[in-house]
């Protein structure tokens, strides 16, 4: 059996190694357009910033090392220019020599990946305009910085690469501004959770121009003007386009393979395309979302590696299945960590799901052990069924392990109420006896049992201010004086029992505190005394962070704050 693989990196290289492990006699040829067959995409920004000093650390395998171990012919700087399914051959161009030839196959695996989205805008192609996707892109940016010592950069786009690059350019002393059309960074997060990411970026000197449309680029004063719709241009010494990626599927289209979202390759759960003996994996393929069942594109290394292994199994006569992607991801934001899995509240509602959420702010480990830090956790679940749909966490230590627990729970089909039952490791330096994941489960169980009724951030503007409800803030007087929502009465929770006579039992009570705990206790006191009570999800800390962020995005002048 002869297997030809188009593209290395995650999916292609993984498949090649797996095929060899399953079939020692197979002939395996990999054609890779770039000069690198297996490299760490996610590490590229850290090389630019000097965190990774040796460029060889970016290369996971070389053609020589791969051949030595697996006897796989790695043909770098070779571009496949056409697929001929009828003849079961591919046309190849040696980019070093210009030689053109055809290569036959029994099985063909496409792992072309995705390419940076290049908007058709005036000025695209300027020397000081970059994209960051490959090792070659990285070296080009690094060389430009080392040679020209730019003092400022504009990053167009607000995803993973943009955040990581912003941090690394700031470490080099550059002024950095991120500009993009959506009014938030990091689409896997809901806007309320993204507010914490925005705050961290601003605190580290990254300018955020959110909700602005880029209309073009112009060379000016030795740099680049980024032209914005209805706004003054942003000027910088260099610009990096990080507005997303598009499936690199020109070959598949020309060969007549069925295409899906944004021209991606349609595959079944065996990673088979619509054409016999042709498989496809990675960023170029359309997959099912594990939670919603909808067709999606998810450009992440983990799924690409899994798909490469599954395709290899099936090429070698097995029957492996890809059960879908759930988008588990984590990103370093300076000294903070942000992570998500499953679907967020926004996308769950777009998918037609009837959802609810809980938001809480636990410590990373036991409060009495030094060094604990707050994290903010949002868990999304389906009403009525309590199916666990997704989670987002922003914080410091311990964020990554909690998101992995929640990702596993989603994959296992657990209900959100069952999070309370997870038996998780505890020692004071690492966690609390009631782990933050358990705490989310307790909260959701309380909702299921009618013990907890919530009101949310979206309800703030619609709460009656005509006296028909009681608005109650149960923080201390000092906390209340430091900032509160207009119209709320302040009764500290520890004084509530003695002051119940001041409240009207005929009116529902909407309660808030700093994090949600004291207001929950207040609700139990009120409910035990015949009141109808609703607890604010997230607490005033959450409310203040989100509203402050919205204020900065919408109107810096009206808020009296700088962006």
């Amino acid at each position: 059996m002869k297997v030809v693989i188009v593209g290395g990196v995650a999916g292609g290289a993984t498949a090649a190694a797996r095929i060899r492990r399953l079939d020692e006699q197979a002939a395996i040829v990999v054609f890779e357009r770039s000069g690198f067959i297996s490299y760490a995409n996610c590490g590229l920004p850290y090389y630019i910033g000097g965190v990774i000093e040796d460029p060889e650390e970016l290369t996971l395998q070389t053609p020589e090392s791969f051949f030595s171990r697996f006897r796989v012919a790695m043909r770098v700087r070779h571009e496949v220019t056409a697929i001929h399914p009828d003849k079961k051959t591919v046309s190849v161009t040696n980019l070093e020599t210009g030689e053109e030839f055809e290569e036959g196959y029994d099985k063909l695996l496409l792992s072309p990946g995705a390419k940076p989205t290049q908007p058709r805008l005036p000025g695209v192609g300027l020397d000081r305009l970059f994209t960051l996707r490959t090792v070659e892109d990285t070296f080009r940016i690094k060389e430009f910085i080392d040679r020209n010592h730019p003092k400022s950069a504009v990053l167009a786009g607000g995803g993973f690469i943009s955040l990581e690059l912003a941090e690394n350019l700031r470490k080099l002393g550059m002024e950095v501004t991120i500009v993009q059309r959506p009014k938030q960074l990091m689409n896997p997060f809901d806007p309320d959770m993204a507010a914490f990411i925005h705050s961290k970026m601003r605190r580290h000197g990254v300018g955020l121009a959110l909700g602005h449309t880029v209309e073009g680029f112009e060379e000016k004063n030795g740099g680049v003007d980024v032209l914005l719709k209805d706004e003054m241009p942003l000027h910088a010494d260099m610009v990096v386009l990080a507005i997303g990626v598009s499936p690199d599927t020109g070959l598949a289209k020309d060969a007549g393979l069925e295409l899906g979202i944004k021209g991606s390759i349609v595959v079944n759960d065996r990673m088979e395309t619509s054409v016999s003996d042709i498989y496809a994996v990675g960023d170029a393929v359309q997959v099912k979302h594990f939670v919603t069942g909808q067709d999606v594109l998810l450009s992440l290394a983990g799924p690409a590696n899994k798909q490469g292994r599954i395709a290899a199994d099936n090429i070698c006569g097995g029957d492996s299945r890809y059960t879908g992607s759930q988008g588990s991801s984590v990103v370093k934001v300076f000294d903070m960590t942000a992570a998500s899995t499953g679907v967020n509240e926004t996308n769950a509602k777009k998918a037609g799901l009837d959802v609810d959420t809980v938001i809480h702010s636990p410590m990373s480990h036991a409060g009495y052990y030094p060094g604990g830090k707050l994290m903010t956790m949002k868990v999304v679940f389906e009403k009525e069924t309590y199916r666990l749909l997704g989670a987002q966490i922003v914080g410091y230590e311990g964020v990554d392990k909690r998101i992995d627990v929640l990702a596993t729970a989603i994959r296992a089909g657990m209900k959100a109420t069952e999070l309370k039952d997870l038996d998780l490791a505890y020692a004071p330096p690492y966690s609390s006896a009631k782990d933050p994941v358990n705490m989310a489960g307790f909260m959701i169980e309380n909702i299921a049992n009618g013990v907890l009724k919530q009101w949310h951030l979206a309800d703030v503007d619609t709460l009656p201010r005509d006296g028909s409800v009681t608005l109650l803030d149960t923080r201390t007087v000092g906390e209340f004086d430091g900032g509160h929502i207009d119209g709320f009465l302040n009764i500290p929770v520890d004084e509530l029992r003695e002051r119940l006579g001041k409240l009207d039992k005929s009116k529902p009570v909407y309660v808030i505190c700093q994090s949600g705990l004291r207001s929950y206790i207040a609700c139990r006191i009120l409910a035990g005394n015949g009141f109808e009570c609703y607890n604010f999800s997230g607490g005033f800390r959450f409310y203040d962070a989100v509203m402050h962020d919205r204020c900065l995005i919408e109107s810096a002048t009206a808020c009296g704050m700088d962006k």
Side-chain angles (χ1 to χ4, degrees):
M1 178 177 66
K2 182 175 181 180
V3 182
V4 170
I5 300 174
V6 180
V9 196
T14 295
R18 177 68 172 171
I19 292 169
R20 174 57 71 227
R21 291 195 294 269
L22 296 176
D23 187 344
E24 182 64 18
Q25 306 307 317
I28 310 168
V29 181
V30 177
F31 292 113
E32 169 57 46
R33 183 170 45 198
S34 75
F36 302 86
I37 56 138
S38 182
Y39 56 87
N41 290 75
C42 301
L44 302 183
Y46 298 100
Y47 173 68
I48 292 171
V51 177
I52 299 172
E53 297 180 355
D54 187 349
E56 292 188 3
E57 293 293 328
L58 297 172
T59 305
L60 306 178
Q61 290 275 5
T62 65
E64 294 76 19
S65 68
F66 213 99
F67 182 81
S68 176
R69 176 156 297 181
F70 297 109
R71 293 300 188 268
V72 170
M74 288 287 184
R75 304 289 187 244
V76 296
R77 302 292 296 156
H78 281 66
E79 181 175 12
V80 174
T81 57
I83 302 168
H84 311 289
D86 54 335
K87 298 189 294 182
K88 300 189 81 168
T89 65
V90 295
S91 296
V92 186
T93 299
N94 183 329
L95 299 178
E96 299 279 356
T97 65
E99 175 194 4
E100 298 179 356
F101 60 93
E102 285 196 5
E103 188 86 17
Y105 66 83
D106 296 308
K107 305 286 184 180
L108 177 65
L109 174 63
L110 303 179
S111 180
K115 54 189 176 184
T117 301
Q118 289 273 20
R120 295 180 179 179
L121 296 174
V124 170
L126 295 176
D127 289 341
R128 289 174 177 260
L129 205 63
F130 302 88
T131 58
L132 179 56
R133 181 68 178 174
T134 66
V135 174
E136 287 90 346
D137 293 336
T138 308
F139 291 161
R140 182 169 166 244
I141 293 173
K142 179 73 169 173
E143 181 182 351
F144 176 85
I145 292 173
D146 291 344
R147 185 176 66 247
N148 296 281
H149 306 290
K151 293 181 170 55
S152 59
V154 168
L155 311 181
F160 292 96
I161 289 293
S162 189
L163 264 66
E164 293 166 347
L165 188 56
E167 176 180 344
N168 282 279
L169 295 182
R170 285 295 294 149
K171 287 183 177 178
L172 295 176
M174 296 173 62
E175 294 295 321
V176 179
T177 301
I178 297 176
V179 58
Q180 70 164 6
R181 185 182 305 164
K183 291 185 177 180
Q184 71 163 89
L185 303 175
M186 297 298 293
N187 285 333
F189 293 81
D190 287 312
D192 51 12
M193 295 295 288
F196 293 92
I197 299 174
H198 299 167
S199 177
K200 178 61 66 174
M201 299 296 282
R202 293 188 187 104
R203 268 183 269 153
H204 283 268
V206 177
L208 301 181
L210 305 177
H212 296 285
T213 302
V214 176
E215 293 194 321
F217 309 92
E218 287 183 357
E219 284 187 309
K220 194 170 184 179
N221 299 328
V224 180
D225 268 4
V226 180
L227 308 178
L228 304 179
K229 183 178 181 180
D230 301 325
E231 296 285 343
M232 294 295 293
L234 295 171
H235 184 78
D237 295 330
M238 62 181 291
V239 175
V240 180
L241 294 179
I243 57 177
V245 294
S246 303
D248 192 356
T249 55
L251 281 174
K253 180 181 179 181
D254 293 343
L257 275 63
E258 182 183 354
L259 303 181
I261 301 170
K262 293 184 179 179
S264 58
I265 302 171
V266 172
V267 293
N268 60 18
D269 60 359
R270 288 170 47 86
M271 309 314 297
E272 296 169 321
T273 71
S274 60
V275 175
S276 178
D277 293 325
I278 301 181
Y279 297 74
V281 300
D283 294 354
V285 305
Q286 172 182 295
V287 296
K288 296 290 183 184
H289 196 287
F290 181 78
V291 175
T292 67
Q294 294 181 332
D295 294 328
V296 293
L297 295 176
L298 286 173
S299 298
L300 294 168
N305 276 281
K306 294 180 184 70
Q307 293 161 14
R309 178 184 174 91
I310 288 166
D313 287 352
N314 295 323
I315 285 170
C316 294
D319 187 24
S320 292
R321 306 279 173 160
Y322 187 65
T323 56
S325 298
Q326 67 188 65
S328 300
S329 60
V330 63
V331 64
K332 181 178 180 292
V333 187
F334 293 93
D335 60 337
M336 191 173 77
T337 300
S340 68
T341 187
V343 289
N344 59 29
E345 181 182 11
T346 305
N347 290 332
K349 288 179 177 178
K350 287 180 180 177
L353 297 171
D354 188 15
V355 303
D356 199 357
T357 66
V358 293
I359 299 168
H360 70 127
S361 302
M363 294 289 286
S364 56
H365 59 240
Y368 61 83
Y369 188 88
K373 293 184 178 180
L374 283 174
M375 65 178 73
T376 302
M377 177 185 292
K378 181 175 184 178
V379 178
V380 184
F381 58 95
E382 191 172 30
K383 292 180 180 178
E384 304 298 332
T385 68
Y386 291 91
R387 179 166 68 108
L388 186 59
L389 301 176
Q392 302 150 64
I393 313 176
V394 179
Y396 298 87
E397 64 179 36
V399 166
D400 54 339
K401 73 174 182 178
R402 270 65 183 229
I403 207 69
D404 283 343
V405 169
L406 289 160
T408 303
I410 292 172
R411 182 63 59 162
M414 291 179 62
K415 290 185 176 182
T417 49
E418 293 177 310
L419 295 176
K420 72 183 191 304
D421 300 320
L422 292 174
D423 193 347
L424 303 174
Y426 159 63
Y430 303 107
S431 185
S432 301
K434 298 176 191 175
D435 188 87
V437 174
N438 294 138
M439 289 300 299
F442 294 145
M443 295 169 70
I444 296 167
E445 181 189 45
N446 283 339
I447 292 172
N449 294 338
V451 174
L452 172 63
K453 298 178 181 178
Q454 297 189 112
W455 64 285
H456 297 277
L457 189 67
D459 303 319
V460 171
D461 293 337
T462 59
L463 281 178
R465 299 299 205 276
D466 59 2
S468 60
V469 301
T470 300
L471 307 177
L472 180 63
D473 190 318
T474 60
R475 295 176 297 157
T476 65
V477 172
E479 288 173 314
F480 185 82
D481 289 344
H484 58 268
I485 303 175
D486 289 342
F488 274 70
L489 169 69
N490 180 217
I491 301 179
V493 64
D494 293 335
E495 301 174 16
L496 182 57
R497 289 183 177 90
E498 288 71 36
R499 298 169 65 178
L500 284 175
K502 295 187 176 182
L503 304 179
D504 186 344
K505 283 189 180 180
S506 68
K507 298 177 181 179
V509 185
Y510 289 80
V511 189
I512 192 169
C513 73
Q514 191 69 8
S515 68
L517 175 59
R518 284 174 287 174
S519 52
Y520 168 65
I521 294 169
C523 272
R524 298 313 306 148
I525 294 170
L526 290 165
N529 285 278
F531 290 82
E532 181 182 0
C533 186
Y534 297 86
N535 187 31
F536 181 72
S537 179
F540 186 82
R541 169 184 171 270
F542 179 78
Y543 166 86
D544 191 47
V546 177
M547 298 308 291
H548 181 76
D549 180 61
R550 288 182 183 176
C551 200
L552 289 173
I553 293 171
E554 295 297 337
S555 177
T557 303
C559 296
M561 304 170 187
D562 294 328
K563 285 188 178 180

